[in-house]
Amino acid sequence: MAAPKVAVVGAGVIGLSTALCIAETCPSCSVTVLSDQFSPNTTSDVAAGILIPHTYPGTPIHVQKQWFKETFTYLFAISNSAEASEAGIHLVSGWQVFRNTPKEELPFWSDVVLGFRPMSEAELQKFPQHQFGQAFTTLKCDCPPYLLWLEKRLKASGVQMYTRKVADLWELHSEYNIVVNCTGIGAHQLVGDEKLFPVRGQVLKVHAPWVKNFIRDGDGLTYIYPGIHRVTLGGTRQKENWSLFPDPGTTKDIFDRCCSLEPSLRGAQDIKVKVGLRPSRHWVRLQREVLSQGGVKLLVVHNYGHGAGGFSVHMGTAKEAARLVGECIAALQGTSSRAKL
């Protein structure tokens, strides 16, 4: 059969990394990325991009750990290369602090990040409201540069990218053999996924170059993540809130909460407010599906619903999606060889 044509719908971090994995693992494919929005206008552009996993209640822990490990290994290699600055990836050390000792003192990912350990008494003195903490080094992605770096890699691999609004996956059946759905919150409307819901995130991007360490409250709501050029302050987790407009009261609340963890932030300059809708489900939808109309079939692979944890697992889930695309190609080739007989 002719080279299989694969369309990846969506150009956030999940779509771009999935397209790259498909292009690298299935070199006989022709891969195209279709999206109505590219960077800097994707949800991923708003993300803090720090590798601290979010837990999916409906996904086995060993699977989540594998996704995180594959992503960490991939980004760690980039952070140790000459491309680190262009890709916006760097190591960052810091603290996760708790008002009360958590039930789980060793999270499932503690042996993937670097140097994970309980905080010392001396370190905890910096956080008088908190009585327990963990110190470790992880990776931070500055999202807009990372997305542009992925786009550059895709172009070098021969992947085409087009701005196009896809209203129904079936509209692609005459042009492509396989469609990969990486539309994030867009899947709510595109495939009518009622299990998918927005969790609104509002963050501040500030100029505070003296802040070098990340600080994260154990509840995950308040965090300070230094990037290469700006520090991300957060945040919110507002379920079922579809508003993309910044809320001034929320901005003040985030700023005050972060200043209580790091008082020097009162001197932060040039505060920009960003809002994104995290595509949340109880588990990532990572599966094959066959759509059919009138005897005509379209093979689909879904990879969406990463919620707040997309950056932490994006390369792990991209590799799994690429493997499912490989299965689809094998199925197509099997059908094609049977047709010749």
Side-chain angles (χ1 to χ4, degrees), residues 7-10 34 164-183 186-187 189-192 285 289-291 293 297-304:
V8 176
V9 186
L34 305 173
R164 174 172 168 179
K165 171 82 174 161
V166 177
D168 181 344
L169 295 180
W170 187 256
E171 75 187 51
L172 302 173
H173 85 276
S174 59
E175 300 165 71
Y176 300 96
N177 307 104
I178 302 163
V179 173
V180 187
N181 171 20
C182 299
T183 53
Q189 189 171 7
L190 182 64
V191 296
R285 189 177 184 197
E289 184 182 20
V290 180
L291 302 180
Q293 284 185 24
K297 289 183 174 159
L298 175 65
L299 301 179
V300 175
V301 171
H302 298 284
N303 182 16
Y304 69 84

Side-chain angles (χ1 to χ4, degrees), residues 55-66:
T55 304
Y56 304 102
T59 303
I61 287 294
H62 73 274
V63 173
Q64 299 184 52
K65 183 170 182 176
Q66 181 65 23

Side-chain angles (χ1 to χ4, degrees), residues 8-10 13 66 72 98 139-140 145 154 165 176 178 180 183 210 270 275 303 313 316 340-341:
V8 176
V9 186
V13 71
Q66 181 65 23
F72 196 95
F98 298 82
L139 288 153
K140 166 88 171 67
L154 287 167
K165 171 82 174 161
Y176 300 96
I178 302 163
V180 187
T183 53
W210 60 89
D270 189 23
V275 177
N303 182 16
V313 297
K340 285 177 188 150
L341 298 171

